[in-house]
Amino acid sequence: MLADVPTSHTAFMMADEERRRRGDNAPGTAVITRAKPQTKRPSLYRVLLINDDYTPMEFVVHVLEQFFNKSREEATTIMLHVHQHGVGECGVFTYEVAETKVTQVMDFARKHQHPLQCVMEKK
């Protein structure tokens, strides 16, 4: 009699029979567990300004205020650090944000004919 039944139906009936033999009274039930996906934090990148002998200090302060939302005091402190140490950190961002900020600063500096350099490095 089972030979006339489609194969997938036969397999289901056999599995159902096996559950009855083991004492499971709930045919067709199963426990499905869903694995929680592991998420990791994105890599962070430091955006740095590099000192040069030609870009005016006030221009650097303006860049820090406009593109990095720094207050006048914060911008001045960072600008002086860049001036005295040759390099200074503007902020830490995800890759896409850091890349955008570097591009914006470089474009703005070129537009105003300043050789200011802005780079990013992995933190």
Side-chain angles (χ1 to χ4, degrees), residues 4 11 26 53 61-62 72 83:
D4 296 337
D53 294 332
V61 170
H62 179 69
R72 174 66 84 177
H83 181 69

Side-chain angles (χ1 to χ4, degrees), residues 12-68:
F12 177 75
M13 288 175 50
M14 290 171 67
D16 197 34
E17 183 62 32
E18 178 64 27
R19 276 193 293 278
R20 275 192 222 109
R21 248 187 272 129
R22 284 184 298 172
D24 291 345
N25 293 331
T29 60
V31 176
I32 299 173
T33 58
R34 189 173 296 186
K36 187 174 182 181
Q38 293 291 338
T39 56
K40 68 176 193 173
R41 294 189 177 274
S43 297
L44 295 177
Y45 292 80
R46 299 170 65 206
V47 176
L48 307 169
L49 287 179
I50 299 173
N51 189 44
D52 64 75
D53 294 332
Y54 304 102
T55 304
M57 292 180 178
E58 190 55 39
F59 183 80
V60 175
V61 170
H62 179 69
V63 164
L64 290 162
E65 290 173 332
Q66 182 172 340
F67 296 105
F68 298 96

Side-chain angles (χ1 to χ4, degrees), residues 1-121:
M1 178 169 182
L2 285 179
D4 296 337
V5 180
T7 309
S8 61
H9 186 67
T10 303
F12 177 75
M13 288 175 50
M14 290 171 67
D16 197 34
E17 183 62 32
E18 178 64 27
R19 276 193 293 278
R20 275 192 222 109
R21 248 187 272 129
R22 284 184 298 172
D24 291 345
N25 293 331
T29 60
V31 176
I32 299 173
T33 58
R34 189 173 296 186
K36 187 174 182 181
Q38 293 291 338
T39 56
K40 68 176 193 173
R41 294 189 177 274
S43 297
L44 295 177
Y45 292 80
R46 299 170 65 206
V47 176
L48 307 169
L49 287 179
I50 299 173
N51 189 44
D52 64 75
D53 294 332
Y54 304 102
T55 304
M57 292 180 178
E58 190 55 39
F59 183 80
V60 175
V61 170
H62 179 69
V63 164
L64 290 162
E65 290 173 332
Q66 182 172 340
F67 296 105
F68 298 96
N69 298 319
K70 302 294 183 186
S71 67
R72 174 66 84 177
E73 294 77 27
E74 287 177 303
T76 302
T77 300
I78 294 169
M79 177 274 298
L80 289 172
H81 187 273
V82 170
H83 181 69
Q84 294 166 353
H85 297 95
V87 66
E89 182 178 284
C90 305
V92 178
F93 309 95
T94 60
Y95 180 84
E96 292 80 9
V97 174
E99 185 178 44
T100 300
K101 297 234 182 239
V102 168
T103 302
Q104 289 173 332
V105 169
M106 294 295 290
D107 289 348
F108 189 72
R110 298 299 161 266
K111 180 180 174 186
H112 290 87
Q113 300 178 345
H114 295 298
L116 181 64
Q117 293 293 304
C118 185
V119 297
M120 60 190 259
E121 70 175 24

